[in-house]
Amino acid sequence: MKTALTLLLLTAATLAEPVVVAVARDGTLLRKTEMVLDRKAEVIRRGRREYPLDGFYLVEGANGKLLWTSDYTSRMRGYEFLARDEVREAAEKLLRRALAYRDQKTARKLFDIAQDHGLAGSKTESARKKLLALEKKGSKPLAKAKTLPPEIEKLTRIHTDLLLARAQLELAQDEKRGLVMLRDILRLKPMHEGALVELRKRAPKRFPLGNARVWLDWHLEVERHGAKFTDSDTFNMRQARKYWRKDLHGIEIGPILVITPVTDARTLGRMLGCCAITSNILASFFADYPKRRKKVDPLRIFLYESREEYKKESTAFKPRQDTSFLKFSAGHYSGDEGISRLFWVRDRTMESRIVGTAVHELVHHWLADANPAYNHVEGRRSARTPGFWIIEGIAEFMSEGVYDLDTGAWSLFDRRAPSLDTVHTLAPSKILIPWRLLLTGSAVEFWALPKEIGIDVRRRWSLGGERVSVTHLWYMQSAAVCHYLYHAENGKHRKALAKYIVDHYTRQRGFMDIKRAFGMTPEELGRRVEAYATKVAKGWEPTR
């Protein structure tokens, strides 16, 4: 075992199995323990304890704990440890020279660098004693000490240079892995010329956004979901650039077309991936119905660069419309235009909000303009059509789904769903909207609800609570009803839920009656939803 780092690496070049890296730094958790790799048993042994490999890399974190991380992340982490090790070794050599040249100031700097990069154990104590002795003497540095500063400057380049060498090896064997490493190098040092040279070799010359660094994120975060740039000369793109702004680009995935000036590849990639999965789920949900819609136009999503732009453009089509809802909305679907609108926020913590809003609005959009169970003319309802709960309920329900973008797997069950949490929390205090009003009301009744925020909701899955409005409760209770109808009693009511959606969009008012649709009164359905929310809170999960 090396004094600062042990790295066990089996490369794909020598084994037809996933690459496995086990990292341990001397002087911390694994100082006196050998790690044995047992390929047959698929485990790494540390003493008597076994850690299953399971296709992942085993990495030791900075706090000395063993962590399981994804392949790319931990491979990069392993290379970083190697780079740190090399910096430490070089710093140790320079430290010995600084001590010999009696340069106490430079020696102190090099001692700190060596410690930061893993100097530990007896070597640390030996170097510290020599340094303290030199500082105590206070002698003048020798002339040779002038040769040290240029060599110290080289230390700052060892990290990224070693990583670049590793990335170049990866690029020759697996371009995607190599590109991931190039991106990490550029995050450490944005103007690293060697990494930029490698990147420019691979970036398309006619990339629509015109920047190799942007292309790298685009390629890794967006294209992997199957998205692609749309032709800039299409009718939709010409219209958007004429009436909105000139610097727009269009991105297609399945029936979805996102038009935006935003270049945040990570957010766009997650949003497009989740929207594509949502579209596929909805298509399978109504697959048993005869196809009445012959053509589906692209489902256009306009992603604005700011809330201000969102509010301005949302009123451009109908300047006299009521825009009070824009004050609190994160997005909306405009049925008259056939456009979903939402806005981007320059804050990584808001990424999940943007993705959830996109899924929510896409459900509205897809049900109105893409559902094959009815055609475009049939799929229009009035503001007085009863059963408006299903409109917001099914959209909120699907936005609470769990989507795995790496594998394409998904689940519409989440025990931490905010809607079920809200119903479970508020049901005992009788604060919920009366179930009869919720399940029989139209859009007119919904818009008449109080908008003021004043209801306290305590969350089981987060610290503290939040204050919400009655309008917010409509969303939460409606989504909880969909959770129950989709999952409870082994999916017994799932087909009835799909039929209710079709009946609502085709204005079959006689079938909007809750008793007729689900075999129970609104009050009885509400009680079952409350009981279901409590059951989920106690750990119930649907049969897979």
Side-chain angles (χ1 to χ4, degrees):
M1 176 179 289
K2 294 182 72 174
T3 55
L5 174 73
T6 295
L7 178 65
L8 303 175
L9 174 61
L10 302 178
T11 63
T14 57
L15 284 175
E17 300 177 10
V19 176
V20 178
V21 180
V23 177
R25 279 189 294 162
D26 199 52
T28 54
L29 178 70
L30 306 180
R31 179 173 52 195
K32 298 179 180 178
T33 308
E34 264 191 27
M35 297 196 69
V36 181
L37 187 65
D38 186 341
R39 292 301 305 171
K40 211 167 193 180
E42 292 291 319
V43 297
I44 288 179
R45 302 179 187 279
R46 174 179 170 266
R48 295 183 178 179
R49 190 165 182 182
E50 295 183 350
Y51 297 90
L53 295 177
D54 197 25
F56 291 86
Y57 304 120
L58 182 65
V59 185
E60 182 201 344
N63 60 358
K65 292 185 178 179
L66 294 174
L67 306 175
W68 292 101
T69 56
S70 63
D71 291 359
Y72 292 155
T73 301
S74 48
R75 189 181 181 94
M76 187 68 187
R77 186 68 172 150
Y79 290 145
E80 183 186 339
F81 277 140
L82 279 177
R84 287 168 59 84
D85 204 34
E86 196 154 313
V87 171
R88 178 193 53 72
E89 289 176 355
E92 281 185 81
K93 290 178 182 178
L94 289 176
L95 174 57
R96 288 194 290 271
R97 286 171 56 188
L99 291 170
Y101 298 160
R102 303 176 192 168
D103 188 344
Q104 53 187 312
K105 186 177 178 180
T106 301
R108 171 61 67 178
K109 181 177 181 179
L110 287 164
F111 178 74
D112 291 340
I113 292 173
Q115 270 206 308
D116 289 342
H117 291 78
L119 184 67
S122 59
K123 286 192 174 185
T124 305
E125 293 307 313
S126 175
R128 182 182 285 112
K129 287 178 182 177
K130 291 178 181 177
L131 179 59
L132 290 174
L134 178 63
E135 290 174 338
K136 190 174 181 179
K137 286 181 181 179
S139 52
K140 187 178 179 180
L142 300 178
K144 294 179 180 179
K146 294 180 180 179
T147 63
L148 293 174
E151 296 191 57
I152 293 175
E153 288 299 314
K154 294 178 183 178
L155 290 176
T156 61
R157 295 198 296 269
I158 294 180
H159 258 86
T160 46
D161 288 349
L162 178 60
L163 292 175
L164 177 62
R166 299 284 176 179
Q168 289 168 333
L169 288 175
E170 290 288 355
L171 287 165
Q173 297 178 13
D174 186 328
E175 186 173 65
K176 188 172 181 180
R177 287 181 186 271
L179 288 173
V180 170
M181 293 190 71
L182 280 184
R183 179 174 64 180
D184 285 329
I185 292 167
L186 290 169
R187 284 174 178 169
L188 289 169
K189 193 173 181 181
M191 299 308 294
H192 192 288
E193 188 55 37
L196 290 173
V197 168
E198 291 294 335
L199 179 57
R200 293 185 191 116
K201 288 179 185 176
R202 291 160 176 81
K205 302 301 182 208
R206 295 185 179 182
F207 178 61
L209 302 183
N211 184 304
R213 182 66 183 82
V214 174
W215 170 80
L216 181 59
D217 280 336
W218 178 269
H219 180 69
L220 295 174
E221 299 289 355
V222 180
E223 288 186 347
R224 72 190 182 101
H225 298 302
K228 60 180 181 180
F229 281 108
T230 190
D231 185 352
S232 61
D233 197 38
T234 61
F235 174 78
N236 284 320
M237 290 302 300
R238 289 199 307 270
Q239 290 294 98
R241 285 173 173 163
K242 180 178 180 181
Y243 294 107
W244 177 6
R245 52 193 279 184
K246 304 296 184 183
D247 59 340
L248 299 173
H249 49 272
I251 312 155
E252 292 179 278
I253 185 166
I256 302 159
L257 169 62
V258 175
I259 299 177
T260 182
V262 174
T263 59
D264 178 357
R266 178 176 167 82
T267 298
L268 284 168
R270 284 186 52 78
M271 188 183 88
L272 288 161
C274 288
C275 284
I277 292 174
T278 300
S279 177
N280 292 336
I281 294 171
L282 288 167
S284 64
F285 194 41
F286 296 95
D288 292 338
Y289 285 81
K291 290 182 172 53
R292 296 180 57 79
R293 194 184 299 265
K294 294 181 180 179
K295 181 184 176 183
V296 176
D297 292 326
L299 303 180
R300 291 176 294 167
I301 299 175
F302 284 6
L303 177 63
Y304 299 101
E305 213 164 29
S306 66
R307 178 186 282 275
E308 290 69 31
E309 186 178 40
Y310 163 73
K311 290 166 69 174
K312 177 186 175 184
E313 294 297 326
S314 294
T315 57
F317 182 66
K318 284 187 175 181
R320 296 182 182 178
Q321 68 178 332
D322 178 14
T323 59
S324 59
F325 72 95
L326 294 175
K327 296 178 182 178
F328 59 86
S329 77
H332 70 278
Y333 164 63
S334 174
D336 292 336
E337 302 169 275
I339 296 171
S340 291
R341 303 179 187 274
L342 57 151
F343 60 90
W344 175 75
V345 180
R346 192 186 298 274
D347 183 351
R348 185 66 70 212
T349 62
M350 296 295 287
E351 181 183 288
S352 60
R353 195 272 305 163
I354 297 171
V355 173
T357 300
V359 169
H360 181 107
E361 302 308 331
L362 179 71
V363 174
H364 292 323
H365 203 154
W366 193 95
L367 291 174
D369 295 334
N371 194 340
Y374 41 82
N375 59 41
H376 185 75
V377 176
E378 292 172 325
R380 289 287 180 266
R381 66 212 179 278
S382 74
R384 297 193 178 278
T385 303
F388 182 73
W389 67 271
I390 194 63
I391 300 298
E392 298 301 345
I394 193 66
E396 192 66 21
F397 162 64
M398 293 200 66
S399 72
E400 292 179 340
V402 180
Y403 304 125
D404 184 341
L405 296 180
D406 290 324
T407 64
W410 55 270
S411 172
L412 295 180
F413 178 81
D414 182 4
R415 3 187 344 246
R416 301 187 181 192
S419 59
L420 294 176
D421 206 20
T422 299
V423 170
H424 167 69
T425 301
L426 296 182
S429 56
K430 308 297 183 185
I431 295 178
L432 297 174
I433 298 171
W435 290 106
R436 178 166 287 277
L437 171 61
L438 179 88
L439 294 169
T440 61
S442 65
V444 173
E445 280 83 9
F446 169 74
W447 287 112
L449 294 173
K451 306 293 189 299
E452 297 77 18
I453 295 174
I455 301 171
D456 291 316
V457 181
R458 294 186 66 82
R459 296 290 183 206
R460 291 178 303 123
W461 301 108
S462 61
L463 293 174
E466 64 176 318
R467 293 174 67 82
V468 302
S469 65
V470 177
T471 302
H472 182 78
L473 289 188
W474 183 289
Y475 283 79
M476 296 295 99
Q477 290 180 236
S478 299
V481 175
C482 291
H483 274 281
Y484 170 78
L485 294 173
Y486 192 91
H487 291 297
E489 301 180 70
N490 295 320
K492 173 184 175 181
H493 305 288
R494 197 172 294 177
K495 287 186 177 180
L497 175 62
K499 184 177 186 303
Y500 191 90
I501 294 170
V502 173
D503 290 340
H504 182 84
Y505 274 88
T506 54
R507 293 164 290 182
Q508 303 295 320
R509 296 179 69 93
F511 294 93
M512 293 293 93
D513 179 73
I514 294 296
K515 176 82 171 173
R516 182 172 182 177
F518 303 111
M520 61 192 98
T521 65
E523 292 81 3
E524 174 60 22
L525 178 53
R527 285 193 294 272
R528 291 195 185 190
V529 172
E530 291 177 18
Y532 174 76
T534 299
K535 193 175 177 181
V536 171
K538 292 180 178 179
W540 179 88
E541 293 187 4
T543 304
R544 301 298 178 189

